[in-house]
Amino acid sequence: MDKKHQHLRYNPLRDSWVLVSAHRMKRPWKGQVEKQPEDNIPRHDPNNPLCPGSVRANGEVNPEYDSTFMFDNDFPALQPDAPDPGSDHHPLFQSKAARGVCKVMCFHPWSDITLPLMQPAEIRKVIDKWADLIVELGAEYTWVQVNFLHRFTSLCYSHFSLQVWASNFLPNEAALAERCQRDFLQKHGEPLLLQYARMETQAQERVVVENEHWLVVVPYWATWPFQTPLLPRRHVLRLPDLTAQERDSLASIMKRLLTKYDNLFEVSFPYSMGWHGAPTGSHLKEDMSHWQLHAHYYPPLLRSTTIRKFMVGYEMLANEQRDLTPEQVCFLLNVQK
């Protein structure tokens, strides 16, 4: 396959195409340049509402926690008792009820620590908490989204934390993944991401890190420059289904991946990360064998710590596009330790 010239690649998880234009990396950069990220973050900042002992916007005081800390979002986008908006029968003006809960989870009491600097045992506690939340919230809600932003924008707090949103509806991205994975299983007789992980393992062309239970690749269809999915090697529907050994192995590979990210530009690498697993709630009683658990990492950087990727213009109005090929990105990441 000719990878030096522009071409389209198909993303089977989204049923969409991405334009790959590797030759564009030769052009001089005249776009936006960001400020260097702050690197002198204090271990404890009393003005940071996520630190132990700090006062949050609603007046509540955080406990002096020494591990993970979970609380209900003070300004949630979803609430469990929201009224029904009523229905309109015209196809152009549809609405329906949206109910749920939003929670915030702090990984560690220190503001200056990030996941690659944490010990595997500390990361394992975070993984166990994720699984517990999915069991707890998934008993009632259709979808439980575990998502995390690390320095993705200047709006993020420096404190290492994530959000968990549980909803009574299937969000757009989840609904798309549901349809694509179901269609693939019906056509090919094997879960999409299970087959994909096996083929990437055999090819070894885009593998970033791997161990006995997990695989991280720069996907063939990646849109964001340094995008990676985190894939189990066996068929797993949801995070709580992982064995103790798989959770330990997950803690290890997450630390290895994020260390590579940090070493690439010698900075605490920004990214948005989240888990996708089979829907919950009433779907717990249904056959969801077309699903495969996976996590997405979406770093926004393009060429350096100060040059970011933006989805604008052609990408918003016509087609997703990337410059570096996934194979080139994999090479850059594998140079790192």
Side-chain angles (χ1 to χ4, degrees):
M1 175 181 175
D2 183 0
K3 300 172 184 173
K4 296 180 181 179
H5 300 91
Q6 69 265 22
H7 59 279
L8 293 167
R9 296 193 183 191
Y10 181 64
N11 183 344
L13 265 182
R14 295 184 52 78
D15 190 22
S16 63
W17 294 83
V18 58
L19 173 62
V20 182
S21 311
H23 59 281
R24 278 169 52 86
M25 288 302 292
K26 298 177 183 178
R27 79 193 194 282
W29 184 258
K30 297 296 183 180
Q32 179 171 322
V33 177
E34 307 282 344
K35 294 181 179 179
Q36 286 283 355
E38 181 183 0
D39 58 3
N40 58 340
I41 298 171
R43 177 149 295 185
H44 182 274
D45 180 0
N47 296 317
N48 185 332
L50 301 181
C51 281
S54 292
V55 180
R56 303 203 305 274
N58 64 352
E60 292 193 22
V61 180
N62 296 334
E64 296 291 342
Y65 62 92
D66 58 6
S67 182
T68 60
F69 169 53
M70 175 73 62
F71 61 93
D72 291 335
N73 194 311
D74 298 330
F75 303 97
L78 291 165
Q79 296 177 324
D81 53 357
D84 193 316
S87 60
D88 193 312
H89 298 294
H90 195 285
L92 296 180
F93 302 96
Q94 300 184 53
S95 61
K96 60 181 180 179
R99 300 186 181 93
V101 295
C102 298
K103 294 180 177 291
V104 178
M105 175 183 171
C106 298
F107 287 9
H108 197 280
W110 297 350
S111 292
D112 61 345
I113 197 168
T114 59
L115 194 145
L117 299 178
M118 292 168 63
Q119 295 300 315
E122 294 175 316
I123 302 173
R124 169 63 192 272
K125 289 181 180 179
V126 174
I127 295 168
D128 288 341
K129 190 62 178 179
W130 289 344
D132 292 344
L133 278 168
I134 292 172
V135 171
E136 174 191 342
L137 299 175
E140 178 179 357
Y141 292 104
T142 299
W143 186 257
V144 182
Q145 182 60 59
V146 175
N147 45 262
F148 168 64
L149 276 73
H150 174 57
R151 293 189 177 185
F152 194 84
T153 72
S154 59
L155 300 177
C156 298
Y157 285 119
S158 60
H159 205 96
F160 207 49
S161 62
L162 63 77
Q163 295 198 20
V164 179
W165 294 27
S167 62
N168 70 333
F169 58 90
L170 208 57
N172 292 338
E173 291 297 314
L176 186 57
E178 158 70 20
R179 174 175 65 81
C180 291
Q181 290 182 96
R182 185 181 292 275
D183 289 349
F184 189 91
L185 180 66
Q186 291 176 348
K187 293 177 182 177
H188 302 284
E190 185 177 12
L192 188 162
L193 288 175
L194 194 62
Q195 183 179 122
Y196 178 67
R198 186 178 68 252
M199 295 181 71
E200 287 285 20
T201 299
Q202 293 170 351
Q204 289 292 307
E205 189 176 12
R206 287 169 291 271
V207 175
V208 179
V209 285
E210 60 183 328
N211 60 24
E212 180 183 358
H213 302 104
W214 296 91
L215 175 73
V216 176
V217 301
V218 182
Y220 178 78
W221 53 76
T223 298
W224 290 88
F226 295 95
Q227 172 183 340
T228 56
L230 177 53
L231 307 169
R233 292 194 184 275
R234 74 172 179 96
H235 191 196
V236 183
L237 297 185
R238 302 175 181 91
L239 202 62
D241 299 334
L242 296 175
T243 66
Q245 192 174 9
E246 287 169 333
R247 296 184 189 197
D248 286 341
S249 186
L250 175 57
S252 172
I253 203 166
M254 288 175 65
K255 183 178 175 71
R256 289 171 58 198
L257 170 64
L258 294 176
T259 299
K260 280 181 175 285
Y261 273 151
D262 285 0
N263 289 341
L264 180 63
F265 295 137
E266 297 182 343
V267 67
S268 186
F269 215 70
Y271 59 87
S272 181
M273 175 266 191
W275 285 97
H276 281 178
T280 50
S282 62
H283 298 285
L284 291 169
K285 299 178 181 179
E286 299 176 5
D287 180 8
M288 292 281 113
S289 57
H290 53 287
W291 267 88
Q292 173 72 330
L293 174 70
H294 58 286
H296 292 286
Y297 285 87
Y298 294 120
L301 299 186
L302 176 58
R303 296 187 179 200
S304 69
T305 57
T306 59
I307 298 178
R308 294 184 174 225
K309 168 78 172 179
F310 292 94
M311 295 292 186
V312 295
Y314 183 85
E315 291 156 314
M316 291 183 70
L317 299 168
N319 204 103
E320 295 174 344
Q321 183 272 337
R322 64 176 291 123
D323 295 345
L324 279 169
T325 69
E327 293 75 24
Q328 289 171 323
V329 169
C330 185
F331 173 80
L332 291 174
L333 287 172
N334 279 327
V335 172
Q336 313 307 317
K337 295 183 178 179

